[in-house]
Amino acid sequence: MSNSRRNFLSKSLSAAAALLVAGCDALSQKESVLGVLGLGEWLNLKTQRLLIPRNKLAREYPESAISPYFKPNGSTDPSDANYRALVKGGFRRWRLTIDGLVERPGALSLAELRAMPSRTQITRHDCVEGWSCIGKWKGVPLRALLERAGLRPQARYIVLHCLDTLGSSEHKYYESIDLVDAFHPQTILAYDMNDRPVPVAHGAPLRLRVERQLGYKMAKYVTRVEAVESYAHIAGGKGGHWEDRGYDWYAGT
Ligand SMILES: Nc1nc2c(c(=O)[nH]1)N[C@H]1C(S)=C(S)[C@@H](COP(=O)(O)O)O[C@H]1N2
Ligand SMILES: [Mo]
């Protein structure tokens, strides 16, 4: 971030805080989020959300920009028994469960997901490790799935549950995003990468793309979408595999 931008942000911070405590929606949001985020992190998140239009799109690229090699990272060939069985069966028995704080929980096959409205986008993936790759992704807007299931009013976050276990974790990989990101037009559950089914290395058969966030938020091997009021009771309680190990929950720009 440039210095002038940093100054601008810090000056706007107190103004933003004042604005927010004025509204009761902001107040109740603050109470529920403060338990999970630190105060500074919360103010930073809220300031960014006020200054950057909520629906601002991440940059999209032409076909010619697609990286010839897209680096796979984290889990690239999960050894979890359940996942192996699904691979063996060509994902015919794979289902995406949608549950938690929704009116109509359910489970969808890949064919059903492919029959839903889709979005295609060519975007840049940035990993905290310091590398970036550009890829083309096609999938179902998360918004379409959530509208179909009907979010209950208490829902505040969407948790993505994965089929893989990374490293020596006691828990499967998972991630969570807020409703602003969940309903963002570029937030999709992708089944195609560069015009082919997402390969195992990149999260087959379904992975999240949440384009204004860093790579670790983009859950691969997604098997369940759960709407929750809080993620404090899940795994390490910080909202994601890497968040439980100290990374920021909000990894956006
Ligand atoms: N289920 C799952 N999702 C994951 C990971 C993982 O290990 N398991 N790694 C994350 C990280 S740190 C990055 S950078 C991207 C890598 O995606 P890619 O393999 O398609 O490059 O996936 C993210 N999502
Ligand atoms: Mo990453």
Side-chain angles (χ1 to χ4, degrees), residues 70-76 125-129 131 133 137 162-166 173-175 193 201-203 207 209 214-222 241-242 247:
F70 197 114
K71 181 184 157 65
N73 203 38
S75 296
T76 54
H125 177 110
D126 301 316
C127 174
V128 278
E129 291 169 359
W131 54 269
C133 290
W137 304 96
C162 307
L163 289 159
D164 63 308
T165 311
L166 183 58
Y173 198 97
Y174 77 106
E175 258 305 333
M193 173 189 191
H202 294 286
R207 70 98 48 92
R209 298 297 311 169
L214 289 171
Y216 62 89
K217 298 296 285 188
M218 314 227 193
K220 307 196 284 187
Y221 317 107
V222 173
H241 173 90
W242 285 111
Y247 285 33

Side-chain angles (χ1 to χ4, degrees), residues 37 41 44-45 48-49 126-128 175-178 181 210-218 242-243 247-253:
L37 300 179
E41 214 183 337
N44 186 40
L45 165 89
Q48 294 205 13
R49 284 287 155 93
D126 301 316
C127 174
V128 278
E175 258 305 333
S176 58
I177 58 176
D178 64 18
D181 277 329
V210 47
E211 302 293 357
R212 289 173 48 213
Q213 301 269 350
L214 289 171
Y216 62 89
K217 298 296 285 188
M218 314 227 193
W242 285 111
E243 289 85 335
Y247 285 33
D248 284 345
W249 177 81
Y250 187 73
T253 53

